[in-house]
């Protein structure tokens, strides 16, 4: 059932000063109206609310049967009849015709204009003759490209719009017959064409096709008919033969109703054949057919009288373009070739029912219009469907803008954006009385109506039911009209979208007090009206877009109010509508009717959902103390479990701590107790300066349970304002009093994906008041805790690199930690596998430096331990070693450790022999094993012998090291090999004990 509202979509009206009764009329772009009567076409200037004035007139070849205007190309095309023959003519450059007797050029389609006459075409109207092998029945112009589609008895002929360039400033418009679409088993009564989409309508059938370019198969396409596969053709042919045999005066054969969508529509039984007719040297488009829709109706033969009673009418394809995709040319006019199709809708109607389909990405029946009385004609616009009956002009709402919005915006129907559903019931905004309505057309913001109070022309003949139901039927012949009184041609100005929107909002206020769905329905209609107007900005007057945008935001606010206050299943839509309205949280709260001061007031789900979601976002908005108190009261009454989370929002910073504590204590009395409530109480106590209460609350739960509380609500520690991380007062206090808990809490947040790595690092830097380049010790503690925790989502090498670079930087700069580290190197080695045991020779090396600063021992030990661990890629540390000099024992130990991990043993032996000989043997015992064992006698032994020969201060150290080395080599080598590695100029008495041991080790064994 269609709901009727008594609104005023129609404004002022004026009479078109025609001299003869119009036979055909149509809009001429933004500012003209064409009226055909007799053998003449008159053009009238239409500009806003001004009176309609004659502009020009031109004669036609005969009576105009059909007429259409194309804004792309700015031409008028007409089917004309003279002496029972029909002609197709296009009227080009008609704006240059000043008087009825002005010079006119007539030329044949596709013929090049001779050079001497080209310049004269700029200032005169041209008539382009388009001969056809069959009589044209109907025409349609593509609103985007200006191509012309002509319907004949068994085919459609496509004329592509072309231009003959005369000079930089002027081009002659022309056409090229580029394609013929042969159709079997259907005779077009009306057609519609838009960017390759073709809609064909017979008396009771509608077929929608799409012409697609086939660039992949260009080489295979030739200039001859190419039939589409149609397995049902033979069946339908047989059926037609049987029907013709059975039909007689006593029987009427009606095929059953049918609706086929998508690929299934190929089974409709209508054969479609393509024939390319473009010139071979032109840029020819290669097409193939895609079937989209086939719909067949069956008449109710119980009450038919004339064929008009059961015929379809008002076929129309309505395009909607991407917003802002219509660029302007240098003269300020719209560039139609720049339009990008977003959605396409197809409308057609029976006398009592209209059908609206969406046909671009998917073919879907959107709306069905039930008329209260028999319709005669209808026109579809992005905002409305205008239908005329015998004595009424009806205005219905449409859902085109709702469907197009979902096609254009991927965020539609989310928490960010919303739009009334396509399935929402349609309504009639107005049924306006007009006596004797005969025809209607629409252009820009005008509806043109032809009325005639006298009886209709009587048909020349009646046809039998059998005859007029047959597919072979011809249209009813009407007597040619003559000039007579009793008719009028009106231009009805439609109300501006903003004015009609305001009226709809005022009308909706009558439903607010009773809280019905009608309020939402009417406000949704108002929203779609404004949305549709914004989708076609090319039709807007200057300054009108700003008004529409303001109305759009206002309508979103009204819908947000409805969904927040009415108890509906779609109450969650309050959130996206309020977001689109641009209203702040405080502005929304001031719109709430705070009727009751106590807790008895009922709050609907939509409002609670919006406020709860808004408070969970990082809004840069702080509520006043009064509004914050009302929010606390609201959630305590409606959603007590969400109250702790609400209090953690940055927007609630101004809430009174005493008020918040009183409501939190009530939660305890309700049996609602959790560690989260405890933490919030502690934070509020800190805000009041009650440290005793704060300590009492913090001690009421163990540390790990408190960490769980922080995981439930990270905003207790970290908040964000204007895109910047802001530590809370509680976080600052924990840094001073319980840093271990703070680090554990942030680590818990990271483990549970509540905070990212970079955000956590920034938090500690801001908390400790450090610049981006400065690393506080608390952040180092956090990195160490990450390694200990072995987080799976942390990049291990990157974490180790950050720690090692910080250890090295502090050692090189002799920079002490700004706070006491939470873990010692021993703690880390015991708790974390990534920190390895420090090699024994490193301890020997470090102990050799009696002047070493004990203040840096922890950083050095952690660095050495991490290098000794199994996880770190040593090659990545090399660039950082440049900061650490080898002049100190600490730096030397790190360099030697890294070279050792890189297996540069010989260089390490040389370095230790030079800098710390006492560490050589421990180093060799630890490192020179297995395949590196040979370095004992190939590298270490010769080096020691050589240095002993040179003497010096370290002679005794070298000598003791040599003895240790000889003992080891004597064990590993056979006597012959041992002799070979000894120096030739050595003292025999010195080496003799080792030779004796080597010779006797077998017998000892």
């Amino acid at each position: 059932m269609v709901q009727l509202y008594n609104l005023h979509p129609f404004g002022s009206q004026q009479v078109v000063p025609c001299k003869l009764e119009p036979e055909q009329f149509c809009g001429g772009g933004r500012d003209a109206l064409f009226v055909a009567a007799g053998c003449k076409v008159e053009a009238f200037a239409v500009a806003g609310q001004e009176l309609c004035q004659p502009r020009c007139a031109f004669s036609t070849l005969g009576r105009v049967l059909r007429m259409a205007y194309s804004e792309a190309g700015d031409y008028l095309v007409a089917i004309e009849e003279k002496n029972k023959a029909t002609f197709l003519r296009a009227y080009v450059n008609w704006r240059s015709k000043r008087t009825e007797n002005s010079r006119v050029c007539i030329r044949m389609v596709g013929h090049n204009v001779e050079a001497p006459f080209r310049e004269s075409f700029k200032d005169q109207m041209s008539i382009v003759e388009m001969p056809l092998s069959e009589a044209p029945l109907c025409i349609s112009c593509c609103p985007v490209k200006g191509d012309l589609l002509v319907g004949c008895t068994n085919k459609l002929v496509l004329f592509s719009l072309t231009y003959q360039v005369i000079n930089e400033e002027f081009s002659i418009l022309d056409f090229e017959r580029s394609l013929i679409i042969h159709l079997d088993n259907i005779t077009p009564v009306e057609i519609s064409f838009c960017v390759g989409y073709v809609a064909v309508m017979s008396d009771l059938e509608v077929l929608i096709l799409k012409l697609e370019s086939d660039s992949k198969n260009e080489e295979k396409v030739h200039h001859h008919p190419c039939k589409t596969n149609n397995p049902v053709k033979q069946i339908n042919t047989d059926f037609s033969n049987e029907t013709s045999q059975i039909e007689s005066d006593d029987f009427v054969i009606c095929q059953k109703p049918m609706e086929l969508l998508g690929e299934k529509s190929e089974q409709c039984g209508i054969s479609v054949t393509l024939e390319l007719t473009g010139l071979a040297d032109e840029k020819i488009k290669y097409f193939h057919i895609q079937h989209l829709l086939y719909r067949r109706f069956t008449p109710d033969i119980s009450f038919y009288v004339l064929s008009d009673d059961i015929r379809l009418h008002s076929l129309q394809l309505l395009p909607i373009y991407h917003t802002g995709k219509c660029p302007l040319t240098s003269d300020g006019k719209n560039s139609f070739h720049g339009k990008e199709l977003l959605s396409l809708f197809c409308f057609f109607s029976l006398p009592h029912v209209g059908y609206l389909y969406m046909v671009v990405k998917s073919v879907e029946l959107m709306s069905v219009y039930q008329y209260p009385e028999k319709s005669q004609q209808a026109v579809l616009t992005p905002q409305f469907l205008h239908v005329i009956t015998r004595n009424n002009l009806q205005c219905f709402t449409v859902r085109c803008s709702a469907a197009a919005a979902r096609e254009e915006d991927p965020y539609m129907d989310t928490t960010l954006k919303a739009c009334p559903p396509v399935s929402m019931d349609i309504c009639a905004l107005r049924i306006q009385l007009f006596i004797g309505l005969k025809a209607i057309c629409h252009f820009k913001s005008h509806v043109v109506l032809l009325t005639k109070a006298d009886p209709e022309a009587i048909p020349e003949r009646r046809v039998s039911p059998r005859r007029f139901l047959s597919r072979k039927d011809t249209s009813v012949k009407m007597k040619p009209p003559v000039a007579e009184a009793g008719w009028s041609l009106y231009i009805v100005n439609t109300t501006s979208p903003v004015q009609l929107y305001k009226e709809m909002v005022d009308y909706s206020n009558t439903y607010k007090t009773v809280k019905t769905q009608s309020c939402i329905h009417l406000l949704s209609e108002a929203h779609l009206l404004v949305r549709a107007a914004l989708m076609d900005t090319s039709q807007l007057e200057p300054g009108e877009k700003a008004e529409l945008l303001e109305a759009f935001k206002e309508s979103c606010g009204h819908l947000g109010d409805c969904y927040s206050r009415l108890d509906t299943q779609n109450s969650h839509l309050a959130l996206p509508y309020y977001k689109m309205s641009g209203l702040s949280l405080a502005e929304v709260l001031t719109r709430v009717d705070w009727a009751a001061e106590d807790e008895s007031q009922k709050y609907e789900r939509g409002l609670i959902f919006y406020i709860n979601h808004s408070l969970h976002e990082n809004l840069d908005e702080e509520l006043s103390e009064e509004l914050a108190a009302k929010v606390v009261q609201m959630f305590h009454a409606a959603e007590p479990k969400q109250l702790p989370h609400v209090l953690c929002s940055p927007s609630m910073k101004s809430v009174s701590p005493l008020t918040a504590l009183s409501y939190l204590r009530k939660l305890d009395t309700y049996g609602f107790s959790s560690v989260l409530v405890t933490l919030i109480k502690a934070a509020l106590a800190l805000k009041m300066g009650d440290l005793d209460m704060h300590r009492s609350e913090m001690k009421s739960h163990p540390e790990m349970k408190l960490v769980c509380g922080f995981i439930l609500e990270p905003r207790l520690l970290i908040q964000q304002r204007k895109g910047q991380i802001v530590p809370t007062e509680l976080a600052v206090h924990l840094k001073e009093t319980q840093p271990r808990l703070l680090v554990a809490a942030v680590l818990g947040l990271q483990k549970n994906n509540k905070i990212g790595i970079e955000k956590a690092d920034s938090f500690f830097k801001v908390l400790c008041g450090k610049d981006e380049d400065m690393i506080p010790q608390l952040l180092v503690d956090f990195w160490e805790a990450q390694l200990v925790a072995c987080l799976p989502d942390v990049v291990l090498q990157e974490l180790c690199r950050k720690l090692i670079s910080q250890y090295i930087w502090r050692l090189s700069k002799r920079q002490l930690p700004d706070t006491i580290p939470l873990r010692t190197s021993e703690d880390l080695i015991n708790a974390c596998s990534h920190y390895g045991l420090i090699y024994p020779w490193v301890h020997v090396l470090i102990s050799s430096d009696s002047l070493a600063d004990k203040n840096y021992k922890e950083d050095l030990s952690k660095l050495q331990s991490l290098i000794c661990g199994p996880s770190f890629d040593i090659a990545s540390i090399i660039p950082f070693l440049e900061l650490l000099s080898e002049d100190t024992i600490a730096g030397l130990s790190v360099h030697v450790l890294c070279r050792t991990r890189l297996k540069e043993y010989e260089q390490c032996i040389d370095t230790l022999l030079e800098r710390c000989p006492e560490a050589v043997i421990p180093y060799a015992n630890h490192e020179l094993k297995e395949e590196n064992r040979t370095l004992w006698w190939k590298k270490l032994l010769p080096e020691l012998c050589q240095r002993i020969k040179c003497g010096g201060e370290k002679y005794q150290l070298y000598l003791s090291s040599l003895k240790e080395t000889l003992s080891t080599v004597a064990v590993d080598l056979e006597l012959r090999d041992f002799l070979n590695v000894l120096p030739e100029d050595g003292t025999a008495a010195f080496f003799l004990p080792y030779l004796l041991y080597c010779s006797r080790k077998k017998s000892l064994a």
Side-chain angles (χ1 to χ4, degrees):
M1 180 178 179
V2 178
Q3 188 166 358
L4 173 63
Y5 297 107
N6 191 22
L7 298 171
H8 300 85
F10 308 114
S12 61
Q13 65 185 49
Q14 55 179 303
V15 177
V16 181
C18 303
K19 298 177 181 179
L20 298 175
E21 178 184 351
E23 299 173 10
Q24 299 288 333
F25 58 92
C26 67
R30 298 172 58 89
D31 58 353
L33 172 67
F34 294 105
V35 180
C39 296
K40 181 188 291 186
V41 174
E42 292 181 275
F44 295 90
V46 182
Q49 303 295 326
E50 299 177 8
L51 291 177
C52 177
Q53 299 293 334
R55 181 168 186 165
C56 66
F58 45 87
S59 300
T60 61
L61 189 63
R63 188 166 65 94
V64 177
L65 302 180
R66 297 287 181 98
M67 185 167 63
Y69 169 79
S70 173
E71 194 167 357
D74 192 25
Y75 68 88
L76 181 73
V77 62
I79 299 177
E80 304 169 13
E81 182 185 46
K82 183 178 182 181
N83 298 330
K84 296 184 179 181
T86 55
F87 303 89
L88 182 66
R89 309 174 89 198
Y91 297 84
V92 179
N93 203 23
W94 58 272
R95 296 180 187 271
S96 299
K97 188 167 178 61
R98 300 288 183 261
T99 64
E100 189 171 349
N101 297 324
S102 299
R103 185 177 178 180
V104 176
C105 170
I106 301 178
R107 54 190 169 93
M108 193 68 68
V109 65
H111 285 207
N112 291 327
V113 180
E114 295 181 5
F117 301 100
R118 287 183 175 180
E119 289 297 330
S120 63
F121 277 53
K122 187 174 183 179
D123 300 319
Q124 66 181 18
M125 186 179 78
S126 299
I127 301 176
V128 182
E129 300 272 5
M130 288 178 273
L132 295 167
S133 59
E134 296 184 18
L137 302 176
C138 44
I139 51 178
S140 178
C141 300
C142 174
V144 178
K145 297 182 178 180
D147 297 340
L148 173 64
L149 188 68
V150 183
C152 304
T153 303
N154 292 309
K155 64 184 178 184
L156 306 176
V157 182
L158 177 62
F159 290 90
S160 298
L161 182 65
T162 61
Y163 294 89
Q164 295 183 29
V165 179
I166 304 303
N167 52 49
E168 294 181 358
E169 299 180 356
F170 180 62
S171 298
I172 297 176
L173 186 147
D174 200 1
F175 297 89
E176 178 193 355
R177 189 174 67 172
S178 57
L179 181 69
I180 298 176
I181 307 172
H182 296 275
L183 301 172
D184 291 342
N185 302 327
I186 187 171
T187 299
V189 174
E190 292 184 29
I191 59 174
S192 188
F193 181 58
C194 180
V195 201
Y197 289 86
V198 178
V200 184
M201 186 181 77
S202 65
D203 290 339
L204 292 170
E205 294 173 291
V206 175
L207 177 65
I208 303 178
L209 308 168
K210 183 181 180 183
L211 301 175
E212 293 185 327
S213 60
D214 193 5
S215 57
K216 296 180 180 178
N217 300 323
E218 282 188 10
E219 297 179 359
K220 300 180 181 179
V221 179
H222 304 285
H223 289 260
H224 58 76
C226 179
K227 294 187 177 181
T228 60
N229 296 328
N230 200 330
V232 188
K233 180 181 177 183
Q234 184 63 40
I235 299 174
N236 279 272
T237 304
D238 296 341
F239 178 82
S240 299
N241 294 335
E242 293 177 9
T243 301
S244 61
Q245 296 173 7
I246 296 174
E247 283 184 348
S248 66
D249 292 335
D250 299 325
F251 295 95
V252 176
I253 304 300
C254 298
Q255 297 188 41
K256 65 180 181 179
M258 181 184 295
E259 181 187 44
L260 300 174
L261 303 177
E263 295 180 355
K264 292 183 179 179
S265 59
E266 295 183 17
Q267 304 173 9
C268 62
I270 298 176
S271 175
V272 182
T273 307
L274 298 183
E275 180 182 355
L276 301 176
T277 58
L279 298 177
D281 58 345
E282 297 289 339
K283 293 182 179 179
I284 302 168
K285 296 178 180 178
Y286 300 86
F287 292 102
H288 68 271
I289 288 290
Q290 179 185 354
H291 289 69
L292 300 178
L293 170 69
Y294 174 76
R295 185 78 188 260
R296 181 170 65 204
F297 298 90
T298 298
D300 183 355
I301 61 175
S302 63
F303 60 84
Y304 73 84
V305 178
L306 295 175
S307 60
D308 287 342
D309 291 333
I310 55 170
R311 284 181 175 176
L312 290 164
H313 64 77
S314 305
L315 176 69
Q316 184 180 347
L317 289 176
L318 176 70
I320 290 183
Y321 309 102
H322 279 280
T323 306
K325 294 290 185 179
C326 185
L328 297 179
T329 57
S330 58
D331 59 355
K333 296 182 180 179
N334 289 315
S335 173
F336 285 88
H337 292 280
K339 289 186 176 182
E340 183 179 345
L341 186 67
L342 173 64
S343 295
L344 187 67
F345 305 92
C346 181
F347 176 81
F348 50 86
S349 182
L350 286 169
H352 291 278
V353 186
Y355 300 90
L356 180 60
Y357 282 85
M358 180 171 61
V359 294
V360 174
K361 291 186 178 179
S362 62
V363 183
E364 180 182 351
L365 178 62
M366 287 176 50
S367 304
V368 177
Y369 293 86
Q370 301 283 349
Y371 310 134
E373 54 185 314
K374 178 189 170 185
S375 65
Q376 298 188 139
Q377 194 179 350
V379 290
L380 178 67
T381 73
Q383 291 94 352
F384 303 113
L385 173 68
H386 300 293
V387 181
I388 60 169
T389 63
R390 184 176 179 84
N391 294 314
N392 284 310
L393 169 61
Q394 302 174 2
C395 177
F396 295 91
T397 57
V398 296
R399 302 288 169 259
C400 298
S401 60
R406 287 170 170 82
E407 292 288 340
E408 185 172 36
D409 197 337
Y411 293 102
M412 198 61 65
D413 298 323
T414 65
T415 57
L416 297 176
K417 295 182 182 179
C419 181
V422 176
S423 60
M424 186 175 69
D425 292 340
I426 56 174
C427 67
L429 297 184
R430 183 81 176 179
I431 297 182
Q432 184 76 38
L433 178 65
F434 271 92
I435 302 300
L437 285 169
K438 299 299 178 185
I440 182 174
C441 80
H442 176 276
F443 72 101
K444 198 183 176 184
S445 58
H446 310 288
V447 175
V448 185
L449 299 172
L450 175 63
T451 65
K452 184 177 180 182
D454 292 341
E456 295 181 356
I458 302 174
E460 289 183 350
R461 60 183 174 84
R462 292 177 181 268
V463 292
S464 67
R466 177 194 62 78
R467 180 67 178 168
F468 103 88
L469 287 171
S470 170
R471 189 185 292 275
K472 297 175 287 184
D473 179 30
T474 57
S475 60
V476 177
K477 302 290 184 180
M478 306 295 291
K479 291 181 179 179
V482 295
E484 55 183 276
W487 58 267
S488 295
L489 188 64
Y490 296 98
I491 295 180
V492 180
N493 298 316
T494 57
T495 306
S496 70
V498 173
Q499 182 180 344
L500 183 57
Y501 160 76
K502 292 178 179 178
E503 184 185 3
M504 296 171 81
V505 172
D506 292 339
Y507 198 109
S508 70
N509 290 332
T510 59
Y511 297 103
K512 277 189 175 181
T513 55
V514 292
K515 291 189 175 182
T516 64
Q517 290 291 330
S518 296
C519 181
I520 293 180
H521 187 273
L522 190 52
L523 286 173
S524 297
E525 295 287 6
H527 176 85
L528 289 177
L529 169 67
V530 177
R531 186 184 281 274
L534 284 170
M535 284 186 167
D536 189 10
T537 54
S538 63
Q539 298 294 330
L540 300 180
E541 297 294 339
E544 193 175 0
K545 184 176 181 180
E547 279 189 279
L548 282 171
L549 287 172
E550 188 63 31
F552 177 81
K553 291 182 179 180
E554 184 183 288
S555 72
C556 292
H558 288 317
L559 284 170
D561 292 341
C562 283
Y563 284 112
S564 67
R565 296 169 189 173
L566 302 183
D567 187 13
T568 71
Q569 61 179 357
N570 295 319
S571 57
H572 63 279
L573 293 176
L575 173 61
Y577 278 120
Y578 274 141
K579 281 189 175 182
M580 292 191 296
S581 71
L583 293 171
S584 66
L585 177 58
E587 289 171 330
V588 172
L589 289 173
T590 55
R591 295 159 76 105
V592 176
D593 183 16
W594 305 96
E597 292 296 332
D598 56 13
E599 299 181 13
S600 62
Q601 182 173 356
K602 182 182 178 183
Y603 304 98
E604 298 298 343
R605 291 176 299 169
L607 180 61
I608 295 294
F609 180 77
Y610 163 72
I611 297 176
N612 189 29
H613 197 283
S614 297
L615 291 176
H616 274 79
E617 293 182 347
N618 294 317
L619 297 179
D620 297 325
E621 178 184 4
E622 189 174 315
L623 297 179
S624 65
E625 182 177 348
E626 180 185 359
L627 286 177
K630 288 183 176 181
V631 170
V632 172
Q633 172 191 330
M634 178 190 303
F635 275 88
H636 181 264
E639 287 286 340
K641 290 186 177 180
Q642 291 297 322
L643 181 56
H645 298 281
V646 167
L647 289 171
C648 294
S649 172
S651 301
M652 298 289 289
K653 184 180 180 181
S654 298
V655 69
S656 169
L658 292 174
T659 302
L661 281 172
S662 65
Y663 281 105
L664 288 175
R665 291 190 180 108
K666 290 179 183 179
L667 292 183
D668 293 338
T669 62
Y670 296 158
F672 184 87
S673 178
S674 72
V675 66
L676 179 57
V677 174
T678 298
L679 287 172
I680 296 173
K681 287 180 181 178
L684 292 171
L686 192 64
K687 189 175 182 180
M688 293 188 298
D690 191 346
L691 296 181
D692 291 335
M693 178 182 173
H694 169 78
R695 283 190 289 266
S696 175
E697 293 292 342
M698 294 299 288
K699 290 178 181 179
S700 62
H701 293 286
E703 183 176 294
M704 288 310 299
K705 206 164 185 182
L706 292 176
V707 169
C708 294
F710 287 119
I711 293 172
L712 289 174
E713 189 47 80
R715 292 178 296 177
L716 280 168
L717 297 175
I718 306 170
Q719 294 182 354
Q720 209 162 4
R721 294 174 194 164
K722 297 182 179 180
Q724 301 295 321
I725 292 175
V726 180
T728 64
E729 189 177 350
L730 179 58
V732 174
H733 185 73
L734 291 178
K735 177 180 78 77
E736 303 296 335
T737 58
Q738 294 178 276
R740 193 178 296 274
L741 172 61
L742 178 61
V743 170
V746 178
L747 185 63
L749 295 180
Q750 189 175 347
K751 277 186 176 181
N752 290 272
N753 298 318
K754 297 293 183 72
I755 189 174
I757 298 174
E758 293 183 1
K759 190 174 179 180
D761 290 358
S762 299
F763 165 73
F764 281 109
K765 289 180 181 179
V766 175
L767 179 65
C768 299
K770 300 295 183 182
D771 297 333
E772 280 296 318
D773 297 332
M774 299 296 291
I775 307 297
Q777 175 57 39
L778 205 58
L779 179 53
V780 177
D781 291 329
F782 176 65
W783 290 341
E784 293 172 349
Q786 285 181 288
L787 270 187
V788 173
C790 299
L791 295 180
D793 56 331
V794 174
V795 180
L796 179 62
Q797 294 301 321
E798 177 64 19
L799 189 56
C800 291
R801 186 194 62 79
K802 289 194 291 188
L803 279 169
I804 285 182
S805 64
Q806 182 60 20
Y807 294 148
I808 291 177
W809 182 84
R810 289 209 296 225
L811 287 171
S812 64
K813 302 295 183 181
R814 304 186 70 80
Q815 182 76 36
L816 292 173
D818 55 342
T819 58
I820 299 175
L822 299 181
R823 283 186 172 91
T824 64
S825 58
E826 185 177 352
D827 295 334
L828 291 173
I829 292 171
N830 293 332
C832 179
S833 61
H834 301 298
Y835 283 88
L837 287 172
I838 301 175
Y839 302 154
W841 60 267
V842 177
H843 293 295
V844 177
L845 181 60
I846 295 299
S847 62
S848 66
D849 186 9
S850 59
L851 300 178
D853 195 335
K854 306 299 181 184
N855 294 326
Y856 309 103
K857 182 179 178 182
E858 280 301 318
D859 280 339
L860 181 59
S861 296
K862 290 177 181 179
L863 175 59
Q864 293 168 343
S865 176
L866 204 52
I867 297 175
C868 292
S871 307
F872 189 58
D873 180 16
I874 297 300
S876 62
I877 198 180
I878 301 302
F880 300 101
L881 291 180
E882 296 178 1
L883 296 174
L884 199 58
S885 172
E886 292 188 48
D887 295 339
T888 63
I889 292 297
L892 178 65
S893 65
V894 175
H895 280 274
V896 174
L897 264 175
C898 291
R899 293 190 194 117
T900 300
R901 289 291 308 275
L902 295 173
K903 298 184 179 181
E904 298 175 1
Y905 301 110
E906 294 189 20
Q907 185 178 354
C908 292
I909 291 172
D910 290 336
T911 301
L912 290 176
L913 286 172
E914 183 67 31
R915 297 286 303 279
C916 186
E918 59 267 36
V920 168
I921 297 303
Y923 177 85
N925 285 329
H926 189 267
E927 304 296 341
L928 304 184
K929 299 176 181 178
E930 299 177 358
E931 68 272 10
N932 300 316
R933 193 72 173 174
T934 59
L935 292 177
W936 278 94
W937 53 87
K938 290 185 177 180
K939 175 64 179 177
L940 184 56
L941 181 59
E943 284 291 337
L944 287 171
C945 292
Q946 183 64 33
R947 291 176 186 270
I948 289 172
K949 287 180 183 179
C950 297
E953 297 178 357
K954 299 179 182 179
Y955 175 80
Q956 292 297 328
L957 291 175
Y958 292 144
L959 185 60
S960 61
S961 298
L962 178 59
K963 292 177 180 180
E964 292 285 344
T965 304
L966 288 172
S967 298
T968 302
V969 174
V971 173
D972 291 346
L973 296 181
E974 296 296 332
L975 181 59
R976 185 186 299 274
D977 297 328
F978 186 46
L979 284 170
N980 291 334
V981 299
L982 293 178
E984 296 180 357
D985 56 349
T987 304
F990 178 80
F991 294 104
L992 184 59
Y994 303 101
L995 288 170
L996 291 174
Y997 176 80
C998 183
S999 64
R1000 289 185 297 192
K1001 64 183 177 181
K1002 285 188 178 181
S1003 59
L1004 293 173

